[in-house]
Amino acid sequence: MVRGLVEPGEFIEIHVATPLSTCEQRDPKGLYKKARAGEIQNFTGIDSDYELPENPELKIDTSVQSLDQSVEQIVAFLRKRGILKYI
């Protein structure tokens, strides 16, 4: 829906694809544990569905690359699209 609100080419969707197990391991606040215990309702990925993006312009799997590598991939993509020129 959001893509349709702007001019063609103006919307860039970046899917940060991280497996649920990795999200749970990285959870500093323990929200996934609380959701699994039923303390938090409608938690995405636990008791509420997560809808994968249908056609993102860029997909990054943070479970197989570092934060620095992920940032480099985004910056390279934005440079290629002519959005970033000096970074």
Side-chain angles (χ1 to χ4, degrees):
M1 181 181 83
V2 175
R3 191 181 299 275
L5 297 174
V6 297
E7 297 295 318
E10 291 291 315
F11 184 84
I12 298 172
E13 183 174 26
I14 300 174
H15 178 204
V16 180
T18 305
L20 182 60
S21 60
T22 301
C23 291
E24 290 183 275
Q25 290 172 355
R26 293 177 179 171
D27 181 19
K29 296 180 181 179
L31 298 177
Y32 284 94
K33 185 177 180 180
K34 289 179 181 180
R36 288 203 181 274
E39 296 174 32
I40 301 174
Q41 301 298 312
N42 301 314
F43 198 86
T44 303
I46 303 299
D47 64 348
S48 182
D49 290 338
Y50 172 70
E51 296 180 26
L52 290 171
E54 292 179 12
N55 194 23
E57 283 74 17
L58 182 61
K59 180 178 176 181
I60 297 172
D61 185 345
T62 65
S63 67
V64 296
Q65 62 187 36
S66 70
L67 174 61
D68 287 343
Q69 291 169 321
S70 298
V71 170
E72 287 174 14
Q73 189 177 354
I74 294 169
V75 169
F77 174 83
L78 295 174
R79 279 188 184 143
K80 184 177 178 182
R81 295 281 296 260
I83 296 167
L84 290 180
K85 297 178 182 176
Y86 302 107
I87 294 179

